Amino acid sequence: MKIRTLIYSIGQGLKSLHRNRLFSLASVGTITASMLLFGLLFFVTGNIRYVIENFESSTVSVSVFFNEGLSDGEKEQIKSNIELRAEVSEVVYTSAQEAWEKYKKDNKLDDGTLDSFGDVNPLADSDNYTVYLNDVDMQDSLVNYIEGLSGVRQVNCDKKIAQGLSTVNKIISLASSVLIIILIGVSIFLISTMVSIGVSVRTEEIGIMKLIGAKDSFIKAPFVVEGLIVGITGSILPLAILVPVYRKVIRYLNSNYANILGGKVSFLSTKYVFVRLSPIVLAMGIVIGLIGTLTTLKRKLNV
Amino acid sequence: MSRKTDYIKKVLGDNVPVPVIELVNVSKSYQPGTEALSDVSLRIDKGEFVFIVGHSGSGKSTLIKLLMKETSPSSGKIFVNNKDLSKIRHHQIPALRRKIGVVFQSFRLLKDRNIFENVAFAQRIIEKSSKEIKKNVPAVLSIVGLEDKMDKFPNELSGGEQQRVAVARALVNAPSILLADEPTGNLDPKNSWEIMKLLNDINKRGTTVVVVTHNEEIVNVMQKRVITIEHGVIVSDVKRGGYSSED
């Protein structure tokens, strides 16, 4: 196809988009909605997976908290009981004061907030043992064992959180995938309707074109342009919405919740996410536009 | 062109008739048992002016559809410019149609475009440059006498003028054959004669013209070759003939 024919086709496609603007907008809208959803799914699952990976790569440990008012001797007893286990490599004690100092430092609490606590340690009962394992697979049985010891209030382990997150991740992925597939189906249907209307509006023109000797590609091109513009717009729009939203959300999470779980949670950077998300969304928009257009043209034009 | 015609041409010079349309034992039936065309054979040479006449339903429209390869014969062979249409593949159809200009009874102009664009449309389809289009369209519009109405829209023109635009559109790509399907069907006698004069002029410039019609007066006055089809069969083919619907 020559450049001037391409320009002509683009002109005709734009004209047709304008003529069918209601359907064009509806098609762009549904693609945008499905791509927005896809983007959100991508953020959430991507970040959860990232967090899980961080957990798994960091040293595996469990935290052991004590019942209120337990004496030092009893705590010492628990420690020696834990140390008896073969899979335990080290048991480190963190006092309530140390826990509070660490929390203050990690969360960069300002003076006003600190003053409101005065000399009271809000983590008074948070002294604990961090138990390091040399064998991850033994974590479950170790946790069971420690939970059975007297004087132990709670055992936290990363693996449980990781497993929980992983399950949440699967549920979110599945639910959104179903919704996205439905929305993509609706998008294709709307583009197909848009093209069908375009073809029926231009039946006379297409008939004349065929008799004068227009090639199939010449007849199809304006419709393909139309479908592509709708698909590309429907994928650029959600990206333009998602970039600033993601940046804001991550900034908020990092400044407010970064040190939950001892600073082990961090999020994927905006750049990292969009370098990967943008080409996928764009490709999906183009494919949706092309499928909607080409299948309909094949059915309607008989060319 | 076949080797045979080349040879004859070499021996006899340029006076040898060259076939542009040839039908050999062509039959066409849309439904089993009813034939729209039945064993039709005919030959139209380069530069001829031919009327094809007959009642509605006689098979004239089928003949045009076959020549444009809108449909294929049930049996027999059709050659256009020495090309066997049965051997033309789908993607080669545009090339065939570009050699045949068509004019319809209902003009079939695009109502949302002006006269210039209606004619330019045919040139855009064959991917001519804007420069060529700007040169060719006014030239062909001057042949049909409408060069001063290029900016008008179809509904601002009379029926006769609209048909002349249609003729200009059929001509602008310089086809070797001009096929007119009832070109005067929607026109009054005066405009009908103007269109026929125009087609005659075009024929004199070397284009083969085939006019499908049942306008007796025109056929009888013009004294051209007349092929009469009835019930899918050629009943007469006269060099300088007339026609009466009472035949």
Side-chain angles (χ1 to χ4, degrees):
Chain A
M1 185 179 285
K2 290 182 182 171
I3 297 287
R4 56 173 164 267
T5 306
L6 191 68
I7 293 169
Y8 178 78
S9 303
I10 291 172
Q12 292 296 310
L14 288 172
K15 220 172 166 182
S16 178
L17 270 177
H18 180 71
R19 208 160 22 198
N20 278 333
R21 52 192 170 279
L22 203 67
F23 262 97
S24 314
L25 281 177
S27 313
V28 170
T30 35
I31 298 179
T32 303
S34 52
M35 291 302 120
L36 271 176
L37 208 62
F38 178 77
L40 289 177
L41 173 73
F42 192 84
F43 297 162
V44 174
T45 55
N47 275 303
I48 291 179
R49 205 173 300 128
Y50 183 60
V51 168
I52 295 170
E53 272 167 21
N54 276 356
F55 272 141
E56 283 167 353
S57 61
S58 67
T59 326
V60 180
S61 64
V62 299
S63 305
V64 181
F65 296 91
F66 315 108
N67 284 337
E68 234 173 282
L70 209 63
S71 70
D72 287 351
E74 285 167 307
K75 287 175 188 169
E76 204 54 43
Q77 184 58 44
I78 291 172
K79 185 182 178 184
S80 50
N81 278 336
I82 294 172
E83 280 171 342
L84 285 176
R85 304 275 298 186
E87 68 270 23
V88 172
S89 60
E90 199 186 359
V91 179
V92 177
Y93 180 71
T94 309
S95 71
Q97 193 56 36
E98 284 165 347
W100 177 227
E101 292 299 331
K102 185 172 186 301
Y103 186 83
K104 281 196 283 190
K105 208 179 106 207
D106 288 348
N107 289 289
K108 300 182 185 76
L109 296 182
D110 58 65
D111 290 343
T113 316
L114 287 175
D115 285 346
S116 69
F117 287 111
D119 286 336
V120 178
N121 181 354
L123 299 179
D125 285 316
S126 302
D127 58 332
N128 61 75
Y129 287 131
T130 305
V131 181
Y132 293 97
L133 284 88
N134 49 30
D135 183 356
V136 194
D137 294 335
M138 292 302 289
Q139 189 179 251
D140 287 344
S141 82
L142 177 68
V143 169
N144 278 336
Y145 170 73
I146 300 173
E147 277 172 346
L149 295 173
S150 75
V152 171
R153 173 163 53 97
Q154 197 187 334
V155 181
N156 283 350
C157 72
D158 297 347
K159 196 179 170 189
K160 265 188 192 161
I161 298 166
Q163 279 169 345
L165 282 174
S166 179
T167 312
V168 170
N169 209 8
K170 271 180 200 146
I171 294 167
I172 293 174
S173 306
L174 194 72
S176 342
S177 302
V178 171
L179 203 57
I180 288 166
I181 288 169
I182 292 171
L183 279 172
I184 288 177
V186 173
S187 312
I188 291 176
F189 171 77
L190 280 174
I191 291 181
S192 164
T193 313
M194 179 183 85
V195 172
S196 297
I197 292 174
V199 170
S200 46
V201 167
R202 297 174 60 188
T203 308
E204 175 74 2
E205 187 180 339
I206 291 167
I208 297 167
M209 284 164 106
K210 281 189 188 176
L211 285 176
I212 294 177
K215 286 185 195 152
D216 291 353
S217 59
F218 187 91
I219 296 172
K220 282 181 183 175
F223 295 104
V224 175
V225 167
E226 211 178 324
L228 277 180
I229 289 175
V230 166
I232 291 171
T233 314
S235 51
I236 288 176
L237 219 56
L239 285 175
I241 296 169
L242 287 170
V243 171
V245 167
Y246 184 78
R247 190 176 290 141
K248 282 224 171 81
V249 169
I250 292 306
R251 199 170 291 156
Y252 176 78
L253 289 177
N254 275 334
S255 62
N256 292 289
Y257 299 100
N259 295 302
I260 287 181
L261 300 160
K264 276 178 187 161
V265 175
S266 60
F267 300 103
L268 298 167
S269 73
T270 310
K271 192 184 165 197
Y272 178 94
V273 168
F274 282 95
V275 162
R276 282 154 187 81
L277 180 66
S278 305
I280 300 175
V281 167
L282 208 60
M284 279 167 75
I286 289 170
V287 168
I288 290 171
L290 283 181
I291 290 177
T293 310
L294 292 178
T295 53
T296 314
L297 285 180
K298 198 164 186 178
R299 210 155 25 92
K300 288 268 164 182
L301 286 185
N302 191 27
V303 294
Chain B
M1 211 169 286
S2 73
R3 203 179 288 171
K4 196 172 136 198
T5 23
D6 275 348
Y7 175 73
I8 295 171
K9 206 171 166 185
K10 212 165 139 189
V11 175
L12 294 173
D14 276 340
N15 295 326
V16 172
V18 179
V20 286
I21 295 172
E22 219 175 343
L23 275 72
V24 184
N25 306 114
V26 170
S27 295
K28 173 69 186 178
S29 62
Y30 293 103
Q31 285 165 334
T34 53
E35 282 192 320
L37 281 182
S38 175
D39 199 30
V40 168
S41 293
L42 69 86
R43 173 180 156 162
I44 295 171
D45 289 329
K46 188 170 184 291
E48 271 195 284
F49 189 119
V50 181
F51 283 115
I52 295 178
V53 298
H55 293 110
S56 51
S58 58
K60 294 173 304 190
S61 307
T62 300
L63 182 62
I64 289 174
K65 280 190 179 140
L66 287 171
L67 292 175
M68 300 299 289
K69 204 163 164 69
E70 281 185 78
T71 183
S72 297
S74 310
S75 64
K77 291 242 178 232
I78 301 172
F79 299 86
V80 173
N81 290 324
N82 277 312
K83 275 232 166 66
D84 183 347
L85 296 198
S86 67
K87 290 193 177 135
I88 284 183
R89 299 167 67 102
H90 179 80
H91 73 269
Q92 295 169 312
I93 294 175
L96 164 76
R97 291 182 182 166
R98 288 171 188 189
K99 296 211 173 71
I100 308 173
V102 260
V103 175
F104 308 94
Q105 177 173 0
S106 55
F107 322 139
R108 297 186 74 169
L109 300 177
L110 298 172
K111 291 166 191 67
D112 61 338
R113 296 178 205 198
N114 65 22
I115 302 316
F116 179 90
E117 272 307 318
N118 262 285
V119 179
F121 182 61
Q123 292 250 286
R124 293 198 201 285
I125 283 171
I126 62 166
E127 305 193 73
K128 289 278 182 204
S129 71
S130 301
K131 205 174 142 194
E132 285 173 288
I133 292 174
K134 278 185 193 132
K135 193 184 81 186
N136 296 342
V137 173
V140 77
L141 280 172
S142 78
I143 294 176
V144 302
L146 287 174
E147 67 270 40
D148 53 345
K149 295 202 169 167
M150 286 198 290
D151 299 331
K152 298 256 189 262
F153 282 80
N155 60 9
E156 298 175 288
L157 301 186
S158 72
E161 287 171 325
Q162 288 189 51
Q163 192 60 298
R164 281 191 271 155
V165 176
V167 171
R169 183 181 64 192
L171 277 185
V172 71
N173 291 344
S176 56
I177 303 164
L178 185 69
L179 205 58
D181 187 5
E182 303 278 6
T184 61
N186 283 359
L187 302 179
D188 58 36
K190 181 175 164 280
N191 276 311
S192 295
W193 276 112
E194 277 182 7
I195 289 294
M196 292 319 297
K197 269 184 212 144
L198 181 60
L199 294 180
N200 201 27
D201 287 346
I202 290 161
N203 175 244
K204 282 183 184 150
R205 288 164 186 250
T207 307
T208 307
V209 175
V210 178
V211 180
V212 174
T213 186
H214 52 244
N215 188 322
E216 290 172 41
E217 192 201 339
I218 284 172
V219 174
N220 291 333
V221 172
M222 284 183 75
Q223 292 290 301
K224 301 283 189 186
R225 179 179 171 195
V226 179
I227 298 171
T228 310
I229 305 181
E230 289 304 335
H231 305 297
V233 182
I234 292 180
V235 290
S236 76
D237 185 345
V238 190
K239 270 284 166 219
R240 299 174 73 80
Y243 163 62
S244 160
S245 54
E246 306 304 317
D247 285 354

